[in-house]
Structures are given as structure tokens and as C-alpha cells.
Amino acid sequence: MLSALERFAPLPLQESWDNAGLQVGLTETEVSGALLCLDVNERIVDEAIRKGCNLIVSHHPLLFRGLKTISDLTDVQRTVMKAIENRLCVISMHTNMDNAKGGVNFRIARKLGLNDVQFFASKQIDGIEAGSGVVGKLAEPMAADDFILKVKKTFGVECAMCNELLRRPVRKVAICGGAGDFLLDEALKTGADAFITGEMHYHQYFGYEQQIQICVIGHYQSEQFTAEVFQEIIQEACPDVKTCIAETCTNPILYI
């Protein structure tokens, strides 16, 4: 199963600071079921145990940097301990899945019904085409406010952080799930009318009025459908393995 995931999103596609791949457990473990999620914490481990899954596949790595202690001091340490105690494996597919064809950003584009979806600011890594963002077209142009309402409905968000509403129709849309503000200028170069991402720094909203419609919907919200990609990969490669998309919401941000 790990090999199937890594064929789809090879580990060389991950960014240099990332830590995708096997996080906890043994590579030869026989899988009883796979719980698919965005983040890994104690509640996710509890859900996996409850559902009879001994494998967790997450988007965000449980371990970004090495642990010097494994105790009950932090959430990460407690999660690692609970996974080991219950003989669970944890695999994470992070920026390699962001950068892979058919990965996170392609799923966002599919949810929005975009056509002609392709990478922008693409790169070749070990002979594989990759990219941190995608661009595609709506079936029909939309007014900016209608477009933002469509995005909110599609991703179930309570609010979207936007710059001044564009006074021309939105047709071409650039996307980078998660923290994608570093691609804003590249999105503009594609001729995109709108740019959707999960996070953006305050000062980056300035200076793009009537150039591009910025629409920021939250990190968790933008990547919430990544588990669907995992499920499709696993079901195709290992059709007899039970897969469950996690019901536990791990978004740490409350909207009050």
C-alpha cells in the first residue's frame, strides 16, 4: 500500500523541509484497515482503533522534526506512544501529494468543476512533471461575488477572506491548497481571474485590486478532500483493504 501511494506521489516530489513517508510502524505490517485523514492526533488514533484500522494515512506529517523524548509531555509524543502501543502504522503524504499530478490541488479543481486543469509554475523532478499549484477554467464565467459563494458552498466554509471584489467575470482560476500565498504572483502571470488558497499573510492582500480575485478559505478547509485521493489510490491498488475517511475534525481553528 505504501508503494502504491509513493508511485502516485513519489517522495522526491516533497519539499526539502518536509518529512513525508512512513512516520510510525513497520513496513511489512498486514493492513486490517486504513483510516484516511488530514492531521494525526490522539483522537485520530482513537478513531482508528475504534474502527479496526491499523494504518493511518495522513496528509500532514505527524513528525516534522526528530523527537528527543517520547513521553506524555506533548500531543505529538502522546500520539506516537498511543500508535506504538496499539501497533498502528502512520504514513504521511504531504508536499509530495501537493506537487503530484492528480493530487491535492487537482482534487480542489475537480470539486469546483474546473476544466483544462494543469500545473502552473511547473517543474521537473527526477523526470516527473510536478507543481505546487494548478490553473483551470470554469464552465461559464461568473460574477466575483457568485464565484465566492460557490467556493464557500463547495468547501463548507463560514467565511472567505477576499480582497476587493473583481469588477469583471471570473473564468480562469488558480489554486494552491494550504499555505499558498507564495504562488500569488505566479498565479497572476497565468492570466487567472481568481486565486484560491488556504492561508495568506495580511500584507499580500494589498496591491492586487482589480488584477486578481483573492479568495482565502482556511488551511484545513482547502485540503479537506485529500483523504478522497488516498482512498481512490488504495482502493485501486488494494481493493480488499477497508478504507475509512476520518470523521474526526482536526481543524484547530474555531470560528466564533
Side-chain angles (χ1 to χ4, degrees):
M1 186 179 300
L2 177 59
S3 61
L5 289 163
E6 290 184 359
R7 278 196 302 273
F8 185 93
L11 290 181
L13 299 189
Q14 70 178 313
E15 302 296 335
S16 60
W17 47 264
D18 201 6
N19 185 40
L22 182 67
Q23 307 281 294
V24 176
L26 303 175
T27 56
E28 299 303 318
T29 298
E30 185 173 342
V31 178
S32 62
L35 184 70
L36 316 173
C37 58
L38 197 64
D39 311 286
V40 186
N41 58 23
E42 288 185 90
R43 291 182 298 125
I44 286 288
V45 173
D46 289 338
E47 183 177 344
I49 295 167
R50 197 165 60 246
K51 292 183 173 177
C53 297
N54 65 350
L55 171 65
I56 296 171
V57 182
S58 72
H59 183 44
H60 297 142
L62 173 61
L63 302 173
F64 264 114
R65 50 189 66 85
L67 295 177
K68 293 186 177 181
T69 303
I70 299 179
S71 67
D72 61 352
L73 292 177
T74 69
D75 179 63
V76 171
Q77 291 179 23
R78 290 190 296 271
T79 302
V80 170
M81 284 187 65
K82 183 172 282 191
I84 292 172
E85 287 169 352
N86 289 278
R87 304 184 68 82
L88 268 63
C89 288
V90 179
I91 295 169
S92 299
M93 297 280 112
H94 191 211
T95 51
N96 54 322
M97 187 61 70
D98 290 330
N99 289 331
K101 189 170 185 178
V104 177
N105 295 309
F106 284 86
R107 182 55 50 130
I108 295 171
R110 183 196 292 189
K111 290 292 181 181
L112 288 168
L114 300 188
N115 301 312
D116 304 323
V117 179
Q118 55 190 312
F119 289 119
F120 69 90
S122 62
K123 50 198 172 188
Q124 290 283 327
I125 301 173
D126 290 352
I128 303 168
E129 185 184 12
S132 300
V134 301
V135 62
K137 293 181 179 178
L138 293 163
E140 298 292 338
M142 301 181 71
D145 53 349
D146 289 334
F147 171 72
I148 292 164
L149 287 174
K150 176 182 173 70
V151 173
K152 289 177 62 177
K153 183 177 180 181
T154 301
F155 292 90
V157 299
E158 299 173 43
C159 65
M161 293 179 286
C162 306
N163 61 344
E164 178 181 275
L165 287 178
L166 204 63
R167 293 192 292 272
R168 69 171 190 269
V170 172
R171 179 73 187 274
K172 194 172 186 180
V173 181
I175 296 168
C176 182
D181 55 4
F182 69 99
L183 280 179
L184 178 57
D185 287 328
E186 292 295 332
L188 190 62
K189 289 177 186 177
T190 70
D193 303 302
F195 178 58
I196 300 172
T197 189
E199 294 182 41
M200 182 167 290
H201 287 84
Y202 172 79
H203 291 287
Q204 288 189 273
Y205 287 86
F206 289 99
Y208 294 89
E209 296 82 4
Q210 299 309 310
Q211 294 188 63
I212 193 167
Q213 182 67 66
I214 295 169
C215 185
V216 180
I217 60 175
H219 196 123
Y220 179 94
Q221 291 87 340
S222 69
E223 296 182 329
Q224 63 184 291
F225 300 116
T226 304
E228 294 180 1
V229 183
F230 296 151
Q231 188 171 53
E232 290 175 6
I233 296 167
I234 295 169
Q235 287 179 340
E236 182 177 346
C238 310
D240 296 330
V241 172
K242 175 179 72 175
T243 57
C244 306
I245 292 179
E247 299 175 75
T248 303
C249 177
T250 56
N251 190 357
I253 300 171
L254 297 177
Y255 300 85
I256 299 174

